[in-house]
Amino acid sequence: MNEASSTRVRRRGFLKLVTAVPVAGALAALASPLLRLLKPNVPKFDLLRPTAPDTARGEAIVAASLSELRNPWDFKYFVFTQRYPQYTPQGFKTASVPGVAVRLPYKIRLPLDWAQAIGKEPPVRESDIIVFSRICPHLGCIYNYVPNYREVTAGYGGYVPPPQRQHALMACPCHLSIYDPADRDVPGRVLSGPAPRPPRTFLFEIRNAEIVVTDVEPGGIA
């Protein structure tokens, strides 16, 4: 075989390969609905939300009873277990998310717009109860709920809240970020320190006089 013939053979092989790729893709596209017809319990691939199957899910737990949060500024800590899809034998990896449920002195609109991203509709939109993750949005330390604001001034960097915010606050012992859980416009508003945003929140509902948390706002630390 001379050089010209060899070149024609290589060119023909290349053209066959270029033609075969889209054909193979088209066959695969046709095979997918056929396989789903033969095995209809396979869920349809969500083209509009391709990452939906990877959404982390939690296990609903009782964070507190209404009787435990009877008065304004009452609070209770709890730990929520979140499951993240992973390539493990179990198919997921668990993480503990500490939280705090707080009774406010007035009702506010809860910051739960994030729920749509995980396909949930908040059962409670406005309430005098709010539930925060206790993971500080700065670098992931666990912050504290401080019932007496004077303790914030004494032990968290000397921050002195203005008169309208002299009530229970939330404060991080690592880098001294201070949050107001009762801010009417931005619940969990950052008052002082390096935190870039308020703490993340939980979805919750009231069942038999108990506060049941079902999901936590997704996202990284900051």
Side-chain angles (χ1 to χ4, degrees):
M1 183 180 295
N2 57 31
E3 182 64 25
S5 298
S6 178
T7 300
R8 282 197 296 273
V9 170
R10 288 199 298 270
R11 186 179 300 165
R12 192 177 298 115
F14 174 75
L15 292 175
K16 286 182 178 178
L17 177 62
V18 170
T19 305
V21 170
V23 171
L27 291 175
L30 292 174
S32 177
L34 178 61
L35 291 174
R36 291 193 61 246
L37 176 65
L38 298 174
K39 192 175 182 182
N41 59 337
V42 175
K44 181 181 179 182
F45 186 70
D46 194 339
L47 292 176
L48 299 179
R49 297 188 308 137
T51 59
D54 296 330
T55 301
R57 299 293 182 187
E59 298 176 349
I61 65 164
V62 176
S65 65
L66 293 180
S67 61
E68 291 175 309
L69 303 185
R70 183 177 293 108
N71 303 306
W73 307 117
D74 284 349
F75 73 101
K76 187 176 180 185
Y77 290 149
F78 64 93
V79 176
F80 182 77
T81 300
Q82 181 79 315
R83 292 188 175 195
Y84 297 90
Q86 298 282 330
Y87 291 107
T88 64
Q90 297 80 19
F92 60 85
K93 184 177 180 180
T94 61
S96 297
V97 183
V100 57
V102 181
R103 171 78 78 172
L104 303 176
Y106 42 77
K107 288 186 176 182
I108 61 172
R109 180 170 174 77
L110 300 175
L112 301 176
D113 292 341
W114 55 266
Q116 293 182 348
I118 62 170
K120 292 291 186 71
E121 181 65 27
V124 180
R125 282 283 190 180
E126 186 172 311
S127 176
D128 56 355
I129 293 173
I130 188 166
V131 188
F132 290 103
S133 162
R134 289 181 63 210
I135 298 177
C136 180
H138 176 221
L139 287 178
C141 293
I142 308 302
Y143 69 77
N144 299 316
Y145 181 84
V146 186
N148 188 338
Y149 74 90
R150 293 183 178 84
E151 294 181 14
V152 170
T153 301
Y156 293 86
Y159 173 74
V160 180
Q164 69 274 21
R165 299 188 191 275
Q166 291 181 353
H167 49 64
L169 298 172
M170 303 185 298
C172 181
C174 295
H175 304 98
L176 309 177
S177 292
I178 312 295
Y179 308 95
D180 183 352
D183 188 281
R184 293 179 184 272
D185 297 323
V186 184
R189 181 189 293 274
V190 181
L191 301 180
S192 180
R197 51 156 292 164
R200 299 187 189 279
T201 51
F202 280 91
L203 284 181
F204 69 90
E205 54 192 83
I206 306 299
R207 299 179 190 169
N208 302 321
E210 293 179 323
I211 302 165
V212 178
V213 294
T214 58
D215 298 276
V216 66
E217 183 179 354
I221 292 175

